[in-house]
Amino acid sequence: RAGERGRGFAVVADEVRALSVRTSESTEEISTQLSKLRQMTQSISQEMKSSLQTSSLTVDYTQEAQQSFNSITDSVDLISDMNSQIATAAEEQQHVAEDINRNVVDIKTVADEVAEVSVVAESNAQNLSELATRLNALVGRFKT
């Protein structure tokens, strides 16, 4: 009886031993997996920190770009205002040039009229001179 029970106990003891070995191997495998998981987690954590730093730099660059765009927009607005002022000044200059041109044409017209009057006046002066000469000759006849 003790022999059969002893054999049964030995079988159970072998099974417990085998189970203990498998448990030990599983524990070792779990420990290895946990170690790998820790390493991967640390690696991912470092990658996330690096990504966060890169994101922070990107935000800084984006803000700088936004400031540059704002500055460019302000410059374009200023140039647009200057162009409007130049266009207005050019239009005013065109009106002044047209007024000057009209005045020059008027002056030429008046100068032409004065020239015509001068020719007539010269002709009249010659006629008067001739009449004066004749009149002097006639008066001279009466004196003699």
Side-chain angles (χ1 to χ4, degrees):
R1 285 186 185 171
E4 271 185 49
R5 287 187 185 163
R7 273 185 258 161
F9 182 76
V11 169
V12 170
D14 284 342
E15 287 297 318
V16 168
R17 207 175 299 122
L19 184 60
S20 172
V21 168
R22 279 187 283 172
T23 301
S24 176
E25 288 172 354
S26 293
T27 302
E28 209 174 294
E29 187 178 325
I30 289 171
S31 177
T32 302
Q33 291 294 333
L34 284 174
S35 177
K36 287 180 182 178
L37 186 61
R38 270 191 214 104
Q39 289 175 353
M40 288 172 56
T41 302
Q42 287 175 349
S43 175
I44 289 171
S45 176
Q46 289 175 351
E47 289 293 326
M48 288 177 73
K49 285 179 184 176
S50 175
S51 177
L52 184 61
Q53 289 174 345
T54 302
S55 295
S56 179
L57 284 174
T58 302
V59 167
D60 292 343
Y61 291 147
T62 303
Q63 288 174 345
E64 288 177 15
Q66 181 66 37
Q67 289 172 350
S68 295
F69 285 137
N70 288 341
S71 177
I72 290 169
T73 300
D74 291 343
S75 295
V76 167
D77 289 343
L78 179 63
I79 289 169
S80 178
D81 290 343
M82 288 179 171
N83 283 340
S84 295
Q85 291 174 356
I86 290 170
T88 301
E91 189 175 329
E92 289 174 5
Q93 286 179 348
Q94 180 183 0
H95 291 300
V96 169
E98 288 172 359
D99 289 343
I100 290 171
N101 187 39
R102 264 192 308 274
N103 290 335
V104 167
V105 168
D106 290 346
I107 290 170
K108 183 187 179 310
T109 302
V110 169
D112 289 345
E113 289 173 2
V114 168
E116 288 175 16
V117 169
S118 292
V119 168
V120 171
E122 181 183 355
S123 175
N124 288 340
Q126 284 178 354
N127 288 338
L128 281 174
S129 177
E130 288 174 12
L131 288 173
T133 303
R134 281 188 205 163
L135 187 59
N136 278 335
L138 288 174
V139 171
R141 278 190 191 165
F142 287 116
K143 287 183 178 178
T144 23

